[in-house]
Every structure is written in structure tokens, then in C-alpha cells.
Amino acid sequence: MAPRKRVPRSAFALCLCAALFSTSILFTINLTGCRMFNQEKAHFPMEEISVSQLQQWQISSKPLVIIDARADHFFNGWPAGEGIKQGHIKDAISFQPHWLELADSSEDQQQLLAEKGIHKKEVPLVVYDQNDGSAGALYQSLKQQGFTEVYQLAGGIQAWGDAGNETIVLPKYHKLVYPQWLQQQLERKKEQSLITLEVGYEEESEYRSGHIPGAIYLDTREIEWNQGTPSWNFIPDNRLAKLLAQYGIDKSTMVVVYADELAMGAYRAAVALLYSGVTDVRVLNGGKQAWKAQGYNLETNVNYPTPLARTTLQVPDNDDLVINIPEVKALMDDPDTILASVMTPEEFNGEKSGYFRYSKAGHIPGSVLLENGESAYDMLNYQDIDGTMRSWTEIEKMWQKKGITADKEVSFYCGTGWRASEAFFAAYLMGWKKISVFDDGWIGWSMDPANPVAPKG
């Protein structure tokens, strides 16, 4: 899977209309606002394929691409309704119809499709949904793109399950939540211990301009400290325990974290919470932008936490999730351990630093490069065009090509821990057991001249 290029998505920045589906109408997003696509006026007649025919194609190893057109939370495994199997058809890719409307040109649309493996016009494409209209909308878009063999799976995912076929589920899908679910939890907040955190770095003004109702602002400067150096580590354990108590967070508290736009901050906070022993940590997929895209309201009043008089947290409760230089040195000669550098090729090869306050570039000897995106401040390779997490099956395949698999012990690192935390959380969702964030990261490692550094290039 080739490194991704940025597909312009100014449509998402300029229009935050909801992508709403029904059996006959699809609301999508473009540069001028919401537009309505009526499937009843589609230019291409619908061609269907039965479950049994799709099975025959799979058995015969016929080249084809299966596309799940539903929202990604259903693809991951969230319940879609009574009688519908959770998850997705094996080898299916996730592609939502409105994604094409977030690209600025037909060339960008083609690039977006190609990134997902949809580029050979002669290969049959089979799209499915749960009879909500999304497959039909994508069907029309694909035909308009020039794909000749496009079929809709008759009966969708429900028919697939009714025939006794298995589906694939993200092991910890429930830890990556979606706006509708969070809205439901907020409506019944009095019935449970729930704290929602908007996480950012010096972004309180964004929080004050509008946040998810009930959310409390957490600045990452409260969970990290630079110790007078460019390296930002988590604060000492005793301070972290006190901080979480001040935020009303206990071991059994359900905590949902999200970011305004830079998702890395939310994942960084999630790692700190897991390390501290909070048992129910969840991330809002797509953050505040996804919330707004669904048409949910924001509030501007500032919410303050209710501190706990006592806490059951004993930080660290999961000390194997966050490691530092001594542990890394002990692991370097272990053939079953991988140091995964979540950085750009330029950083990894020693060509330039990704940070304006730190000039050294390079990597720890033996590290494997997992390209994050275009700079130290994005995770393009781990996100879809709408800012949600890239399909876990795509991330898993991307890692497999680098020899990174669930049976290995994998420690993710970047410069300071933000990018590494987002990659870590993807592995966590997949149920990987032997994973950690190398908190000192490249900056902490390279500040000590006694630590070895790989040759440039």
C-alpha cells in the first residue's frame, strides 16, 4: 500500500452539513453547501448480484472488489440493527459515498478511489449497505466515474448474514465511538459516570467558541511536561494521579476524549488514561468536526470538573503501555521486538527535523518506518478524507507489509509521542496485546550523544 498523498478536502472545512442517508435521498457535502441527490432520478439502472453469486466469485478467486458503503462504525462492528450481523464481509473495503464530495476535483476523486484499491475499471465492484440507500448512491457515483462492472448486493449485509456467512469485527470497536452514540450517552448521563474531554494544545479558545455539550477542556500541557528540554513526556505518575482526580476521573469512569481538528492530542490523552488504569477510555472518531457534520449543537459555556475527594487510581496501573529509554535499550536486541517510527521519510532518513524547536533528525538503529503523513503535525496515512480513523483493515495491511504483526512486541515512537499515540490506539483497537508508546521518543533519545543513531539515508 503506497504512502498517501493529500487529497484536498476544503469541502469539509467549508461545509459541515450532515451526510444523512435514507432509502431514496442522500445528502452530501460540496463547496457551496449541502446538495440533494435523488436516487429515483439515477442515470444508471441498478444491477444486483445475489449472495450466492458473490460466494461463487469468492470461491473461484475471481478478481473483484467488495465495498461496504455504510458508516465506518458499522464496518468496524457497532450493532446495525436487529437481525443484522455486526462487522463487514471478509476482504471488503470501507468507502462512504459522501467522501467523493469532499474531494475538490474529479482527479482528486480518482486518487481517493485508487488509494482504496478502486482503480481498475474492468474489475467487478460489489457494493453493499444495510438497505439504507448508501450502496445505491455509491453505485451511481462509481458508474459516473467510468467503472463498467458495478453491482449492488441484493439484501445487503443482512442477506449476507441471513445466509449463514461470517463477518469480520474490529476487536475493540466500542472504544472508537461515533457522534450518534455519544449523543445517546449524553442524554442518559445521569445514569452513568461519564466525562467528556475536549483535548488540545493551547486551544482553549477553540473550546470556548463551541464544544460538545458537557465537555471539559483538557490542555495537553497538563499531562505533559518538557523538563526544560524539547522533549515532552508524560508528567510523573504521582502528578498524573492527582490531575485525574482533579478532573473527577476514577478507575471506573467512562471517559470519552476528542479533539477539535488535530486528533493526535485526543489519542495522546487516551494513552495517558489507559496507562493510569482508567478501564473505559473511548475516542470520538473524527472529533468535533464529525459531531458538527451530523448536525449536533455545540455549547459555549465553560464546564468545570468536579474533583474527587478520593481516587481508586494507582498510577501506573498499566506501566507496560508507556516505556522510556532504559526499556528500549533492553529491547533493541530482541528479534521479536519492533521499534516503529511513526514519522515522515525525511525525518527518519535524517534529512530534516519535523520540529521547529529541535534540529536533529534520524532514527534509532533497527527501527521500522511507518509513514505518518506529510509533516510532524498530521496523520494523513491513518485518517480518511473526513478526518476519521482510516479503516483498521487498511492500517493492518500497511503494517503487515513492514513486518509488523500482532505476534510481535511493538513500541511506537515519533518525536514527542503524539503521532505514536494515534498509531498505538489503532493497534489497541485491533486487540494487540504487546504494544507500547516509547514516550521519550526520538527527541529524548537523540538528546543524549551516547545513544546510537542510524546513519543518514
Side-chain angles (χ1 to χ4, degrees):
M1 187 174 295
R4 308 175 82 184
K5 297 180 180 179
R6 180 176 296 278
V7 176
R9 53 187 176 107
S10 59
F12 188 71
L14 293 176
C15 177
L16 294 165
C17 308
L20 302 175
F21 300 96
S22 69
T23 55
S24 62
I25 298 175
L26 167 68
F27 287 94
T28 57
I29 303 170
N30 65 12
L31 288 173
T32 58
C34 288
R35 70 180 176 89
M36 187 171 65
F37 176 82
N38 191 321
Q39 289 184 215
E40 296 177 351
K41 297 180 180 179
H43 296 96
F44 299 93
M46 193 75 69
E47 292 188 65
E48 290 191 334
I49 182 175
S50 67
V51 168
S52 59
Q53 182 63 59
L54 176 57
Q55 288 175 309
Q56 291 175 15
W57 282 3
Q58 289 179 313
I59 293 171
S60 66
S61 299
K62 178 183 177 69
L64 77 156
V65 178
I66 304 172
I67 307 171
D68 190 323
R70 301 173 301 160
D72 47 14
H73 51 272
F74 293 134
F75 179 88
N76 289 341
W78 281 91
E82 186 176 354
I84 301 176
K85 274 196 171 181
Q86 293 175 240
H88 61 270
I89 297 174
K90 186 177 183 295
D91 296 327
I93 62 174
S94 176
F95 197 99
Q96 298 174 54
H98 75 279
W99 286 354
L100 289 170
E101 294 294 331
L102 299 180
D104 285 343
S105 66
S106 60
E107 291 78 11
D108 292 333
Q109 290 178 339
Q110 291 170 14
Q111 178 185 325
L112 184 61
L113 288 165
E115 287 178 351
K116 299 291 186 179
I118 310 170
H119 56 87
K120 295 181 179 179
K121 299 295 174 73
E122 70 281 2
V123 173
L125 307 177
V126 178
V127 298
Y128 71 87
D129 56 16
Q130 53 203 39
N131 300 320
D132 59 6
S134 54
L138 184 57
Y139 178 98
Q140 294 299 321
S141 295
L142 292 170
K143 295 290 282 188
Q144 291 164 8
Q145 288 282 336
F147 292 93
T148 55
E149 282 199 71
V150 187
Y151 306 90
Q152 180 170 342
L153 180 63
I157 189 69
Q158 182 162 1
W160 179 263
D162 289 346
N165 297 304
E166 295 300 317
T167 52
I168 307 299
V169 175
L170 176 63
K172 294 185 178 179
Y173 69 85
H174 56 292
K175 300 300 185 182
L176 189 67
V177 307
Y178 57 103
Q180 294 93 328
W181 177 88
L182 180 55
Q183 173 65 20
Q184 292 170 1
Q185 304 311 304
L186 294 177
E187 290 174 352
R188 55 187 289 264
K189 185 176 179 181
K190 293 181 180 180
E191 304 172 24
Q192 62 185 343
S193 175
L194 168 65
I195 291 178
T196 309
L197 298 176
E198 178 167 321
V199 184
Y201 174 78
E202 296 184 341
E203 295 178 67
E204 188 172 358
S205 59
E206 284 78 2
Y207 168 82
R208 289 176 176 271
S209 66
H211 52 267
I212 293 175
I216 301 166
Y217 178 68
L218 172 66
D219 199 293
T220 56
R221 291 174 298 174
E222 293 195 79
I223 60 173
E224 297 179 316
W225 65 325
N226 64 8
Q227 309 167 76
T229 72
S231 180
W232 288 82
N233 294 67
F234 287 130
I235 57 177
D237 295 341
N238 61 336
R239 287 176 53 188
L240 186 54
K242 291 178 181 178
L243 175 70
L244 296 181
Q246 290 172 1
Y247 274 80
I249 298 172
D250 212 346
K251 191 178 184 72
S252 61
T253 306
M254 180 193 294
V255 184
V256 177
V257 296
Y258 73 90
D260 181 8
E261 291 188 352
L262 199 60
M264 290 181 279
Y267 290 111
R268 182 68 167 158
V271 172
L273 291 163
L274 290 170
Y275 169 78
S276 301
V278 181
T279 57
D280 196 356
V281 180
R282 310 189 186 210
V283 176
L284 175 61
N285 196 13
K288 187 158 64 179
Q289 302 305 321
W291 178 269
K292 292 193 291 185
Q294 289 299 322
Y296 292 127
N297 294 327
L298 301 176
E299 66 175 11
T300 56
N301 59 292
V302 176
N303 299 304
Y304 297 96
T306 302
L308 298 175
R310 294 182 179 179
T311 179
T312 58
L313 285 174
Q314 294 183 346
V315 182
D317 194 26
N318 296 304
D319 58 353
D320 57 330
L321 298 185
V322 177
I323 65 174
N324 286 295
I325 290 174
E327 293 91 343
V328 167
K329 287 183 175 180
L331 294 173
M332 287 181 69
D333 295 327
D334 185 346
D336 292 324
T337 296
I338 294 176
L339 287 176
S341 175
V342 189
M343 305 177 84
T344 65
E346 292 78 13
E347 292 175 282
F348 186 83
N349 295 329
E351 298 170 22
K352 66 176 182 179
S353 169
Y355 304 93
F356 61 88
R357 292 179 180 175
Y358 192 73
S359 61
K360 292 182 181 179
H363 66 271
I364 301 169
S367 300
V368 176
L369 174 63
L370 297 180
E371 295 183 39
N372 65 287
E374 295 180 344
S375 75
Y377 304 99
D378 75 70
M379 284 291 284
L380 181 64
N381 281 0
Y382 290 80
Q383 295 174 358
D384 280 316
I385 191 171
D386 59 358
T388 57
M389 180 176 281
R390 189 176 183 177
S391 162
W392 64 278
T393 52
E394 293 179 45
I395 295 174
E396 188 175 47
K397 289 177 182 177
M398 179 171 64
W399 289 351
Q400 286 174 347
K401 291 182 178 180
K402 295 294 187 81
I404 297 177
T405 52
D407 60 307
K408 303 287 179 62
E409 182 170 349
V410 184
S411 188
F412 300 93
Y413 79 92
C414 55
T416 61
W418 281 47
R419 289 174 286 177
S421 294
E422 188 160 343
F424 166 92
F425 203 82
Y428 170 75
L429 292 171
M430 295 177 204
W432 290 22
K433 304 297 184 183
K434 298 180 288 185
I435 53 174
S436 63
V437 171
F438 171 32
D439 196 37
D440 284 318
W442 164 250
I443 292 180
W445 178 271
S446 60
M447 283 194 304
D448 185 348
N451 291 330
V453 173
K456 292 185 177 183

